Structures are given as structure tokens and as C-alpha cells.
Amino acid sequence: MRLWLFVCLSLFVLSFSSATGQLSSPSSFQLQTQSAVVTGKSIHSINLSANAEWFAGSRHESGTATLQASVDGSSSVQLNLGSASRTETRSVTDSDQTCQLTDNSGTVHVVVGSNCSVPVPWFAASLFSQPASQLPSSLLTTDDGQVSKNGSTFHQISYWPNLQSINITLTNRLIAGSRVKVLYDLQTFLPASLEYFIHPDSDDLQNLPVRVLFRNYRSVSGVMLPFHIEKYVNRTLQLQLDVTNASAE
């Protein structure tokens, strides 16, 4: 039985607040990232247009992508990539959050469980490098300090939705399954990569790692945004984006 159904049968309750888990005051590194990314201003959304390449085994599709993310957790990704075309939508992060994937045939697939509760859109790390007062109360965060990845050292900050349940074990599984780790460059204080897990539809307990790399930062309306993004699923390059136009509002 899928974990999500088991959670529902266990009277799972989804609750959001700005309580325990979120830093009462930002760390010195968080202040540096906020200054580097948003230069003292607040933003509510980012919009990206990009040339895109999709890789799936021997299959390679090229086309375009349109991506939008809001600080409330909602997002939209439209990939125009031939047979790999798809639209992914995610509603506001709250107790009624919904996620859908529409494939190239127009068939709508409802996304549930931890795959829907990931709180930070994978392409929008910059949007969440803001003071806690600008982020939704449903989002919890901690400064994890320095970590080593692939022979390099980064500073890690984690984000996750504030989930509460009568079953602590199930709650911890959902939190672990939806936690997003953003790794920041120690020199520029900009997001270098983002990591989280996705799960097969038939098994929410199986973790497939997703890693997103951010490169070629440029200032857009005073906000530093990456113009080259690579998304790896299970350590294999799946999607590459070269941004052609970006806006921050």
C-alpha cells in the first residue's frame, strides 16, 4: 500500500505554522546569502524562459521551457520537447495543496504524497534565499553548516514543510521525503545546487535522488538568478536549461 494512502488511513493531519523548527533569527551565513541573492529587496515570484534539452536513455529531445515559481510554493513548468513535452503544476503550499502532471498526450496525472509536498520548486532556489519574514509560515528551515560534496565544501540550508501527525513515524518519513537541501557557494554565497528525493508512484519509501546545479548567475532587477540549470535524476542528467529571458517580481 502506498505510504500516502497509509497516512490517510492513519488519520494524517497536515498542519502549517511558523513554530518549532524554523530559526528564530537567521544565522550569519543566511544573512550573507540574502544580501548576495536579493540585495536587500523582497521578491514574490520569478519567471524563466529557456532553451531546453531532455535526456532519457538514448532519447534526446530539444525545445523550449517556461517556468514560474512563487514564494507561496506554487509553480508551473511547461516543457515543449516533442514526445517529452509535459506541464507540471503545483498549487500553494497549504493543507489543500495539489500537484498535477499533464503529459504530451494531454493525460492528467495527479501527484500525491511526498512528491507533492516538496516545498521549494527545483529551479527556484534564489526565490527562497530571503528573510524568513518574506517566506510562507508553512516553510521551516535550518542552517546545517558546512558539508562536503564530491570533494568540494559548501554551506547547506534545509527547507521542509511543517508536517504534523498523530503518527510520529509517518510524519518523520514524509518530512525526510520532502526535505530540500540547498548548497551555497562559500565565496559567492549563491545557491550552487539543490537536492531532494522523488519516489516511484508504487513506493513512497524508495528514494530517488534529484540534484539540480545552478550556473552562470546574472543580476535580474537586482536579483541574482542562474541562467544555466541542470537537473539530474538518480545521478543521470535529465534536463538542461539555458535561460533566454528572466524576470523577478
Side-chain angles (χ1 to χ4, degrees):
M1 181 181 293
R2 298 182 57 189
L3 175 61
W4 184 255
L5 294 178
F6 184 50
V7 170
C8 291
L9 291 174
S10 300
L11 300 179
F12 175 77
V13 177
L14 195 58
S15 165
F16 299 91
S17 72
S18 56
T20 304
Q22 192 165 18
L23 293 175
S24 57
S25 60
S27 67
S28 60
F29 190 88
Q30 284 180 301
L31 292 174
Q32 289 173 301
T33 64
Q34 294 164 14
S35 178
V37 175
V38 296
T39 60
K41 65 183 296 183
S42 62
I43 54 174
H44 302 287
S45 64
I46 62 171
N47 299 274
L48 306 176
S49 299
N51 293 322
E53 293 186 75
W54 176 274
F55 306 89
S58 60
R59 197 173 90 189
H60 178 204
E61 300 280 2
S62 298
T64 60
T66 303
L67 309 94
Q68 187 276 333
S70 298
V71 76
D72 61 15
S74 62
S75 65
S76 173
V77 176
Q78 183 174 345
L79 303 177
N80 302 305
L81 294 166
S83 62
S85 295
R86 64 187 58 203
T87 299
E88 303 171 10
T89 59
R90 185 185 304 269
S91 69
V92 174
T93 300
D94 61 17
S95 58
D96 298 316
Q97 184 176 32
T98 58
C99 304
Q100 292 185 340
L101 184 154
T102 305
D103 62 26
N104 68 318
S105 68
T107 302
V108 177
H109 306 269
V110 177
V111 181
V112 297
S114 298
N115 286 339
C116 185
S117 60
V118 174
V120 176
W122 58 266
F123 57 91
S126 294
L127 182 60
F128 292 83
S129 300
Q130 300 192 73
S133 60
Q134 303 299 324
L135 302 179
S137 60
S138 59
L139 187 67
L140 304 184
T141 177
T142 57
D143 187 329
D144 303 323
Q146 292 189 5
V147 298
S148 295
K149 295 282 186 176
N150 303 315
S152 299
T153 303
F154 303 91
H155 198 106
Q156 179 176 293
I157 296 176
S158 293
Y159 303 84
W160 71 97
N162 186 17
L163 304 177
Q164 295 181 357
S165 167
I166 59 174
N167 189 310
I168 296 176
T169 299
L170 293 177
T171 300
N172 290 339
R173 286 178 181 174
L174 283 170
I175 290 175
S178 58
R179 183 184 297 264
V180 176
K181 301 175 182 177
V182 180
L183 285 78
Y184 290 82
D185 186 279
L186 296 178
Q187 302 300 317
T188 65
F189 304 106
L190 300 175
S193 63
L194 177 152
E195 299 177 356
Y196 63 100
F197 291 114
I198 58 174
H199 319 276
D201 288 342
S202 58
D203 186 1
D204 274 352
L205 295 179
Q206 181 180 351
N207 293 329
L208 301 177
V210 177
R211 184 171 183 238
V212 183
L213 303 182
F214 304 110
R215 301 288 185 269
N216 189 21
Y217 273 89
R218 303 178 191 177
S219 179
V220 177
S221 301
V223 179
M224 297 299 291
L225 297 177
F227 272 62
H228 181 80
I229 302 174
E230 297 177 4
K231 183 179 184 182
Y232 292 79
V233 177
N234 209 18
R235 301 176 182 83
T236 300
L237 179 63
Q238 180 191 78
L239 181 64
Q240 179 173 290
L241 302 175
D242 285 297
V243 176
T244 56
N245 188 56
S247 64
E249 303 172 356

